């Protein structure tokens, strides 16, 4: 068991990291810039994309429990509209210009965590994706070397990485459903 109580077989470990990263060569070839957009992390050759909006959190006053808050709930409170390119701060701004506020402290307490999503959301996404691929047992995941997940693995400072601008990734291989094999609650980045 890890210090957090997880079964070590259920999380990625240093021995899962691949020495041969050639499976990521096509990603390296297609991602030529980093500009903090999805186009910097998702190869443009895909026929379609789905955007997953990471939830905000609300702390239930009675129990102290953190519960996820969908962006649609925030939009309903602020009068904003959810659309394909919606941004978190546009939801809050809509409430400000309407004079109802951004919903902080009433609808939500903590904004979405950038770059990570809750394990339950990883699991739901993996379950859906597994149904739409013929190669569900053949999936690669990248862990950005600059994130806590890579550091938690105790990986060497130097070694093979999938090279994309400003985001070198350690590569692991598994099944689509292995997306939930998180490291200290840090899921894959690629």
């Amino acid at each position: 068991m890890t210090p957090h109580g997880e079964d070590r077989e259920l999380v990625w470990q240093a021995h899962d990291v691949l020495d041969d990263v050639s499976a990521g060569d096509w990603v390296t070839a297609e991602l030529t810039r980093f500009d903090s957009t999805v186009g910097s992390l998702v190869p443009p050759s895909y026929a379609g994309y789905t955007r997953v909006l990471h939830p905000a959190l609300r702390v239930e006053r009675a129990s102290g429990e953190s519960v996820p808050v969908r962006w649609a709930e925030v939009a309903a409170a602020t009068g904003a509209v959810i659309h394909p390119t919606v941004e978190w701060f546009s939801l809050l701004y809509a409430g400000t210009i309407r004079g109802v506020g951004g919903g902080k402290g009433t609808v939500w307490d903590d904004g979405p965590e950038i770059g990570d999503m809750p394990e339950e959301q990883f699991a739901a996404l993996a379950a859906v994706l597994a149904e739409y691929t013929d190669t569900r047992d053949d999936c690669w995941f990248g862990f950005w070397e600059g994130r806590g997940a890579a550091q938690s693995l105790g990986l060497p400072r130097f070694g093979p990485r999938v090279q994309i601008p400003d985001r070198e990734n350690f590569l692991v291989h598994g099944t689509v459903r292995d997306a939930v094999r998180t490291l200290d609650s840090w899921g894959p980045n690629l």
Side-chain angles (χ1 to χ4, degrees), residues 2-175:
T2 68
H4 302 290
E6 300 124 352
D7 183 343
R8 290 304 297 173
E9 291 182 23
L10 299 178
V11 298
W12 296 109
Q13 298 180 49
H15 69 265
D16 293 314
V17 175
L18 301 175
D19 290 327
D20 178 3
V21 297
S22 61
D25 287 351
W26 71 278
V27 175
T28 298
E30 290 197 26
L31 298 178
T32 58
R33 63 175 171 48
F34 184 77
D35 61 6
S36 300
T37 65
V38 73
S40 300
L41 299 171
V42 179
S45 60
Y46 286 109
Y49 300 85
T50 297
R51 187 166 174 214
V52 178
L53 302 174
H54 301 191
L57 293 174
R58 176 177 52 245
V59 177
E60 294 296 336
R61 305 303 180 238
S63 66
E65 179 184 356
S66 291
V67 295
V69 177
R70 296 174 59 95
W71 287 33
E73 188 177 344
V74 176
T78 63
V81 175
I82 299 290
H83 54 83
T85 60
V86 68
E87 295 175 334
W88 175 250
F89 294 106
S90 68
L91 297 178
L92 309 183
Y93 181 70
T96 301
I97 62 172
R98 287 181 173 77
V100 297
K104 185 168 184 171
T106 55
V107 179
W108 62 276
D109 294 301
D110 293 313
E113 190 171 333
I114 296 172
D116 280 316
M117 70 174 106
E119 189 172 325
E120 299 80 26
Q121 200 168 11
F122 264 121
L125 181 59
V128 170
L129 293 175
E131 296 304 314
Y132 290 92
T133 181
D134 292 331
T135 58
R136 64 182 55 91
D137 294 331
D138 202 17
C139 189
W140 284 264
F141 301 97
F143 288 92
W144 176 42
E145 68 177 354
R147 294 293 303 272
Q151 295 161 1
S152 293
L153 284 171
L155 296 174
R157 186 171 169 179
F158 303 101
R161 313 250 197 325
V162 173
Q163 305 286 325
I164 60 176
D166 295 330
R167 292 290 187 265
E168 293 182 6
N169 284 262
F170 294 101
L171 194 64
V172 298
H173 181 262
T175 71

